[in-house]
Amino acid sequence: MENNVKLYLVMAMRKPAFDASVIAPHKAFLDALRAQGRLHLTGGFSDGSGGAYVLRDVDDLEQARAIVAADPLALQDCSELSVHEWNTR
């Protein structure tokens, strides 16, 4: 991957009232991002506390946050989502 590609790390930490029924819609959301070429990596944490995904081909942090706001995890208020511009090397 080229160094000038901006990446955005999305941390998704489950809230105490996490509803597992949101997992399938969340995965469909990620699949749609992958089809658009905007999902670089994704995965869950082995301890079940949540997961993360990395967005690419996004203009800026504001656009990344707008994309994440449409994630079913955010819409159903099941996880605390944070978005960070990620400088990799």
Side-chain angles (χ1 to χ4, degrees):
M1 175 168 298
E2 295 178 24
N3 290 338
N4 61 353
V5 175
K6 287 185 180 179
L7 297 176
Y8 297 89
L9 174 65
V10 181
M11 299 288 295
M13 302 307 296
R14 292 180 175 184
K15 291 184 175 183
F18 182 83
D19 182 353
S21 70
V22 77
I23 294 173
H26 168 67
K27 286 182 177 181
F29 170 80
L30 294 175
D31 288 344
L33 289 176
R34 181 174 282 118
Q36 296 167 15
R38 291 189 167 176
L39 183 65
H40 181 60
L41 292 169
T42 186
F45 301 139
S46 61
D47 65 1
S49 63
Y53 55 97
V54 178
L55 298 173
R56 60 169 295 141
D57 293 332
V58 175
D59 293 336
D60 53 30
L61 185 58
E62 183 177 331
Q63 184 184 26
R65 287 180 175 149
I67 290 167
V68 171
D71 186 329
L73 293 177
L75 295 173
Q76 299 298 317
D77 198 29
C78 288
S79 295
E80 187 69 39
L81 294 142
S82 59
V83 185
H84 309 272
E85 187 171 336
W86 197 21
N87 299 318
T88 61
R89 32 181 206 134

